[in-house]
Structures are given as structure tokens and as C-alpha cells.
């Protein structure tokens, strides 16, 4: 049954870059019944302190935190900045097209990519410049060092001057017939740039795009394009110079970013990213099983099946909890120590597919219908 669930998840996330027939995705087994939750344990006091609204979110939104502000967007092309403590809108701008990826920001510049392959950079709530891109983008641009970096669905990485929009460089890797229609990995690491390219974490010189090191977490396998699909998904756990990431339905592992060497990796069949602390790495398998691995060597620490088949979001480590959202709009808090339920909260009843974030003591959750919720401890 787990194999059937994984196949359905794959059909939802794949996008043909070359012509490919995926008609098999249109039919399949009946939906698996989610695990029963039982009575809310209410072992944590958490309350809703504000709510807001964006357009429905049908793209891989990444909510960007800068200090006490959060930046987010709806599919309609409206980008906005909110005070995480109160939900007050700081600015709002329409980019004039539907959005496929965002939001990236360093606190001064913000960036999104539209569905017509246009990179749009904002400053002080105003459009600063636009640039046409050669491929679709599903990963939020990275804004750092007065540069804007973009990871394309064709596995090309490009850099632009954040003030002027001048293209500084572009590096291209061989593309695959299929890629994931979800966020990948693009992050700063010291003075370098780390990107997820196929099943590899690749460290690049941000000045010219030259590769510094290349660490493989997964390799293509199987006999057709779907079976051979391998990609790293957005949402990583970083502690110091160690980065832990997930390869889609293949593996989880940690890389030493100083040496570019794989510390450990283990088979895993999840589709969303990881979170962690200095002791554990936390993840969600495709069937909704929550797991904690020991950060030093990848040994399993605990497993929880209480949320199976509830289609969980990327987890967030918050205080003594791991927080995940589910397909019915519930926000679950479980213990970091053993995965036992602590409490759960309701939103608007639509799926929580956006990774929750924490800013200024506030948990911010976004639903598929565009509901934005700020939660704080009582």
C-alpha cells in the first residue's frame, strides 16, 4: 500500500520538461483513509493571535523570514510583507503575473519568478527590475551579497546584480526528461553557494558559478524516466558546517560542507524537506510516518505513525516540538523527544503544503486557500 501512495505522490509532483505521457496519473486506487487522531491532548498552550489572507497558493511558496517580518505571496502575483508579531501589512505590491516561485529576500531586496519565466526583483515594496529566464523556476530565488541567484527547472543556476538586474553568470548542467514541480535547494554557505542539482549537493563560487565540491546523496536508478528521477527537495537542516537534505523518495543524508563529503545517508521515501536541531534530524515519509534520525550517524531514534496518510508538510522545529501541517488544515505539535502528540490547532480546513516558519516568537502557517495564521504560546 505504501508503494501505491508513493506512486500517487509522484504523479502529483512530476512535470514533463520533454514530451512525456503521464496519463497513468489520472487513474489509481481509492484514497487511503488518514489515521484517526483521537482527543486533542492539549499539552501545550498555543493561541491564534492574528490572521491574514493571500490568494490561493498553488505553487511551491517559501515564506521568507527576515527578523520580525515575513514575506509571502499568492498565486495571483501579489507579494506582501507582514509584521510577524501582529500580522500588520508593511507593504504590498502586484508583479502583474501569476507566480511560480518565491519569495526570496535579504531584507532589502525581494524576488519572485512568474509563470511566464520572468524574474521580478522588488525594493521597498516597488518593482525594481525584471529579467527573462530560459526555463521554468519552482525554487525561491536566493538574495544574498547584493546578488540574486536562480535555480531553474532545467538545473541551470544563474546570478544577477540585485541593484541593476545585469546577469553576472550562468552555469548549466545536463537536464533530465522529468523534474519535480516543487522547491529545490538553493542556499548560502559561508562565502559560497550551495544548490541541489539532481541528487547532488553542489557547492559553487558565487562570483562565477565554478563548482567547489560535489556530494552525491542519490543516483538515478530504474529503466524509465519516472523510475530514474532523482532530485533534492527544498527544506534542509543546517548545523554549523553540516547540511542534511532529502533526495525525493530515495534517501536522506548529511554532508560536511567544508570537505564536500557525505557523512551518512539512509534510504527514505519522503517527498518533503527536513528540519533538525543539534541532536536530531526530523522528516516525514510519503505515508505520513514521522521519523527522527541521530544527526551524527543517521541512526533512527524514534518513529511515529500517528499521522499516517494525512499528507504532511515539511516539519519545523519549534521549542520542544516538531510542527507539521496536514491536508485538512490541522497544525500538529509533537514532542522532539519521542514524537508523542502535544497539541493541534485548526486553520481554514484547506491543506497546509507550505513549510511553517517561526519569526519573532510567532509560528506562521499558510494554507492552500491562502489563509495566513500567526500562533503564539499562551
Amino acid at each position: 500500500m505504501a508503494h501505491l501512495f508513493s506512486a500517487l505522490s509522484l504523479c502529483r509532483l512530476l512535470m514533463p520538461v520533454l514530451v512525456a505521457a503521464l496519463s497513468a496519473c489520472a487513474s489509481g486506487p481509492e484514497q487511503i483513509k488518514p489515521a484517526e487522531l483521537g482527543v486533542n491532548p492539549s499539552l501545550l498552550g498555543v493561541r491564534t493571535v492574528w490572521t491574514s489572507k493571500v490568494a490561493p497558493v498553488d505553487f511551491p511558496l517559501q515564506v521568507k523570514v527576515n527578523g520580525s517580518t515575513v514575506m509571502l505571496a499568492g498565486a495571483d502575483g501579489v507579494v506582501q510583507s507582514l509584521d510577524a508579531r501582529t500580522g500588520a501589512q508593511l507593504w504590498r505590491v502586484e508583479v502583474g503575473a501569476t507566480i511560480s516561485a518565491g519569495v526570496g529576500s535579504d531584507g532589502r531586496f525581494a524576488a519572485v519568478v512568474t509563470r511566464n519565466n520572468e524574474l521580478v526583483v522588488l525594493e521597498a515594496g516597488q518593482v525594481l527590475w525584471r529579467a527573462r529566464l530560459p526555463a521554468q523556476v519552482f525554487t525561491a530565488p536566493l538574495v544574498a551579497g547584493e546578488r540574486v541567484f536562480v535555480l531553474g527547472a532545467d538545473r541551470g543556476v544563474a546570478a544577477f546584480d540585485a541593484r541593476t538586474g545585469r546577469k553576472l553568470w550562468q552555469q548549466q548542467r545536463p537536464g533530465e526528461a522529468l523534474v519535480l514541480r516543487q522547491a529545490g535547494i538553493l542556499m548560502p554557505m559561508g562565502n559560497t553557494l550551495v544548490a541541489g542539482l539532481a541528487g547532488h549537493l553542489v557547492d559553487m563560487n558565487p562570483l562565477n558559478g565554478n563548482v567547489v565540491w560535489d556530494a552525491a546523496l542519490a543516483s538515478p536508478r530504474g529503466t524509465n524516466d519516472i523510475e530514474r528521477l532523482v532530485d533534492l527537495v527544498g527544506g534542509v537542516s543546517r548545523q554549523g558546517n553540516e547540511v542534511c537534505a532529502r533526495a525525493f523518495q530515495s534517501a536522506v543524508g548529511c554532508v560536511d560542507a567544508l570537505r564536500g563529503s557525505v557523512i551518512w545517508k539512509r534510504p527514505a521515501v519522503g517527498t518533503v524537506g527536513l528540519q533538525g536541531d543539534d541532536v536530531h534530524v526530523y522528516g516525514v515519509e510519503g505515508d505520513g510516518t514521522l521519523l527522527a534520525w541521530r544527526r551524527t550517524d543517521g541512526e533512527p531514534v524514534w518513529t511515529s505513525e500517528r499521522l499516517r496518510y494525512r499528507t504532511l508538510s515539511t516539519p519545523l522545529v519549534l521549542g520542544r516540538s516538531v510542527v507539521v501541517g496536514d491536508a485538512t488544515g490541522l497544525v500538529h505539535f509533537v514532542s522532539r523527544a519521542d514524537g508523542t502528540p502535544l497539541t493541534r490547532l485548526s486553520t481554514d480546513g484547506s491543506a497546509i503544503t507550505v513549510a511553517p516558519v517561526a519569526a519573532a516568537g510567532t509560528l506562521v502557517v499558510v494554507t492552500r486557500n491562502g489563509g495566513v495564521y500567526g500562533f503564539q504560546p499562551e
Side-chain angles (χ1 to χ4, degrees):
M1 189 167 290
H3 294 298
L4 293 175
F5 182 88
S6 297
L8 288 174
S9 299
L10 184 62
C11 289
R12 286 197 300 268
L13 292 167
L14 288 176
M15 181 202 74
V17 174
L18 302 179
V19 177
L22 294 177
S23 58
C25 295
S27 61
E30 294 182 4
Q31 185 175 1
I32 301 170
K33 184 178 179 181
E36 296 291 340
L37 295 176
V39 177
N40 188 348
S42 299
L43 299 177
L44 285 178
V46 184
R47 60 192 175 93
T48 305
V49 292
W50 56 263
T51 63
S52 187
K53 187 74 176 175
V54 295
V57 179
D58 61 356
F59 68 99
L61 170 67
Q62 293 165 270
V63 179
K64 181 62 179 177
V65 175
N66 292 108
S68 63
T69 68
V70 290
M71 293 185 189
L72 63 162
D76 63 349
V78 174
V79 184
Q80 54 185 300
S81 176
L82 304 178
D83 186 321
R85 296 163 297 192
T86 65
Q89 187 178 95
L90 304 176
W91 53 258
R92 178 183 185 275
V93 61
E94 297 185 20
V95 301
T98 55
I99 293 176
S100 68
V103 177
S105 176
D106 63 354
R108 176 184 174 186
F109 302 104
V112 297
V113 179
T114 66
R115 290 184 185 173
N116 56 7
N117 301 352
E118 189 174 55
L119 171 63
V120 184
V121 172
L122 316 170
E123 183 181 15
Q126 302 291 326
V127 174
L128 186 61
W129 53 265
R130 302 170 185 264
R132 183 68 59 182
L133 301 173
Q136 289 183 286
V137 175
F138 303 113
T139 304
L142 170 66
V143 184
E146 296 200 347
R147 291 178 173 84
V148 180
F149 302 94
V150 179
L151 172 63
D154 62 350
R155 297 197 173 100
V157 181
F160 298 82
D161 185 295
R163 291 173 295 179
T164 67
R166 180 173 65 92
K167 181 182 281 190
L168 303 174
W169 54 262
Q170 175 147 358
Q171 294 287 355
Q172 186 70 50
R173 280 208 171 194
E176 302 288 345
L178 299 174
V179 297
L180 294 175
R181 190 184 288 270
Q182 70 181 81
I185 297 172
L186 189 63
M187 60 183 287
M189 193 76 189
N191 294 321
T192 64
L193 173 71
V194 173
L197 301 175
H200 296 236
L201 269 182
V202 179
D203 188 67
M204 310 173 78
N205 184 333
L207 299 179
N208 52 29
N210 291 342
V211 173
V212 179
W213 53 255
D214 184 323
L217 286 178
S219 300
R221 61 199 188 285
T223 58
N224 58 54
D225 289 336
I226 293 178
E227 291 176 346
R228 290 179 57 80
L229 173 76
V230 60
D231 217 343
L232 302 187
V233 300
V236 302
S237 173
R238 176 185 174 186
Q239 291 286 324
N241 294 312
E242 184 180 285
V243 178
C244 302
R246 179 187 294 278
F248 181 80
Q249 290 196 341
S250 174
V252 296
C254 293
V255 171
D256 183 327
L258 284 181
R259 299 177 177 85
S261 57
V262 176
I263 301 170
W264 60 264
K265 58 182 176 181
R266 286 186 171 272
V269 291
T271 63
V272 297
L274 306 174
Q275 262 268 314
D277 52 34
D278 57 351
V279 179
H280 299 141
V281 177
Y282 306 96
V284 176
E285 295 295 86
D287 66 355
T289 300
L290 275 166
L291 296 99
W293 296 274
R294 194 161 59 201
R295 178 174 285 277
T296 53
D297 56 12
E299 282 295 315
V301 178
W302 56 255
T303 299
S304 173
E305 296 186 348
R306 293 178 176 90
L307 302 176
R308 289 190 78 190
Y309 306 116
R310 300 198 67 86
T311 313
L312 304 180
S313 71
T314 298
L316 169 71
V317 174
L318 185 65
R320 63 188 180 100
S321 307
V322 177
V323 181
V324 292
D326 75 13
T328 67
L330 293 176
V331 183
H332 303 269
F333 292 69
V334 305
S335 169
R336 285 164 61 178
D338 57 13
T340 56
L342 298 176
T343 195
R344 62 177 178 265
L345 308 170
S346 298
T347 58
D348 61 12
S350 66
I352 298 170
T353 58
V354 179
V357 299
T362 304
L363 169 66
V364 180
V365 173
V366 182
T367 71
R368 186 181 296 278
N369 284 351
V372 187
Y373 295 79
F375 300 106
Q376 291 179 352
E378 290 183 336

